Amino acid sequence: MLILTCPYCGVTAEETEFHGGGEAHLKREGPGSDDAALEGYLFHRENPRGVHFERWRHVYGCGKWFHAARDTQTLEVFGTYPAQTTTPPEDLLATIRDKRPGFTWRGIS
Amino acid sequence: MSDPVALQMTAPAPVTALENARHDGPVTVAETGPWGMLTLRGDLSAAPVRSSLADATGLAMPEVRGVTVAGDRRVAWFSPDEALILVPRADLAGVRAALDGALAGQHALVADMSDARASFRISGEPAHLAEVLARLVPVDMGTFAVGELRRTRLAQVACAHWMPEEGAVELVCFRSVARYVFDLLVEAAESPRAFPA
Ligand SMILES: [Zn+2]
């Protein structure tokens, strides 16, 4: 069971109040992109044992989408942050580096 | 033809989803309403929106995850850009017109959602109410305070609840699940384990 804190309404609640939305920070490849880029956008996903970045929605609460960083092995949640960003905030990354030295996730480390 | 005034005058009186169903016991469960319910969308932290709400309803904008209660009116914080305003049905048209006027020119929206939701009030000993809700919502009712609001799931459906005062909890859910919510509340309120003999 995950315990997540919604960055919009500030409530800390258990997983069943939320809905997972898959991998975070995907960049849409639209018209004009090459086949490999579109294939990657549609199908290629991280599947780490460890640090992972995801989208979640506070579906039974305020309804907002947000981001969460967590460990898929221990279910430890490192932090949550608003949806209006394309990268995790630096202070959260510092926290994760502290707890999981040497972690990498796509281009992030 | 379609004269809106004539239509309004011939429209049947509104009825609640369960015709004000009621269950009496250690905890009383009652469907309330019909309320006038207005959804306000806009930046709830913006000073002009807050003052418009106060001017039109006489109620202060609630803080994050809060509810403002004054007599038979409530304003419930639903998200950073959504509030639900509850007033007696008879006040609906006046409050809506006042809100529309006060918000004119602002990036905000008011919609009459009176028919979208059902509302309930459960009352009894505070400890009993906490026990009833603890059976249904993933919320620590031991620390839930008057004036606080939670939108969460009640068993399997979306529901918001708050305490207008000690000894009462008010809830709103979508009208289509009113029977489900009422029956669950009654079931929980009747549980022998909630109220040992
Ligand atoms: Zn939320």
Side-chain angles (χ1 to χ4, degrees), chain A residues 9 14 16-17 60-61 64, chain B residues 65 81 138 150-153:
Chain A
C9 61
E14 46 108 321
T16 63
E17 198 171 296
Y60 284 106
K64 300 297 182 194
Chain B
R65 278 196 349 266
D81 55 8
R150 268 303 288 274
R151 295 178 78 187
T152 183
R153 67 177 175 85

Side-chain angles (χ1 to χ4, degrees), chain A residues 26-43:
Chain A
L26 295 175
K27 178 179 170 292
R28 182 175 179 273
E29 299 290 343
S33 58
D34 62 37
D35 289 355
L38 181 64
E39 182 196 13
Y41 165 63
L42 289 177
F43 301 115

Side-chain angles (χ1 to χ4, degrees), chain B residues 19-31:
Chain B
E19 297 181 287
N20 297 110
R22 183 185 171 92
H23 169 87
D24 289 300
V27 167
T28 297
V29 180
E31 193 210 5

Side-chain angles (χ1 to χ4, degrees), chain B residues 10-184:
Chain B
T10 55
V15 289
T16 63
L18 306 178
E19 297 181 287
N20 297 110
R22 183 185 171 92
H23 169 87
D24 289 300
V27 167
T28 297
V29 180
E31 193 210 5
T32 58
W35 290 89
M37 297 197 208
L38 293 168
T39 289
L40 167 63
R41 300 301 304 252
D43 180 357
L44 303 192
S45 64
V49 173
R50 300 174 77 88
S51 61
S52 297
L53 176 78
D55 292 346
T57 65
L59 297 182
M61 184 72 78
E63 295 310 310
V64 172
R65 278 196 349 266
V67 62
T68 306
V69 175
D72 50 12
R73 294 185 175 191
R74 285 110 179 78
V75 182
W77 189 95
F78 264 22
S79 84
D81 55 8
E82 180 178 359
L84 185 69
I85 301 159
L86 296 96
V87 299
R89 193 70 165 227
D91 297 351
L92 177 66
V95 169
R96 186 183 182 179
L99 258 181
D100 279 338
L103 289 166
Q106 298 184 47
H107 186 62
L109 175 150
V110 177
D112 178 5
M113 303 296 279
S114 303
D115 296 327
R117 290 185 174 90
S119 58
F120 301 93
R121 181 184 172 95
I122 63 175
S123 48
E125 287 292 318
H128 289 176
L129 296 178
E131 182 65 33
V132 167
L133 276 173
R135 282 157 192 274
L136 301 171
V137 297
V139 175
D140 180 1
M141 292 306 299
T143 60
F144 195 75
V146 170
E148 200 176 329
L149 178 140
R150 268 303 288 274
R151 295 178 78 187
T152 183
R153 67 177 175 85
L154 186 137
Q156 299 187 45
V157 297
C159 189
H161 69 270
W162 63 88
M163 290 195 288
E165 71 248 356
E166 284 291 336
V169 178
E170 293 175 337
L171 308 94
V172 291
C173 65
F174 288 116
R175 185 182 178 108
S176 57
V177 293
R179 170 55 66 184
Y180 176 82
V181 169
F182 181 82
D183 287 351
L184 275 173

Side-chain angles (χ1 to χ4, degrees), chain A residues 5-11 17-18 57-66, chain B residues 65 77-80 151:
Chain A
T5 300
C6 172
Y8 295 97
C9 61
V11 79
E17 198 171 296
F18 301 91
R57 183 173 176 235
H58 195 185
V59 63
Y60 284 106
C62 67
K64 300 297 182 194
W65 284 96
F66 61 94
Chain B
R65 278 196 349 266
W77 189 95
F78 264 22
S79 84
R151 295 178 78 187

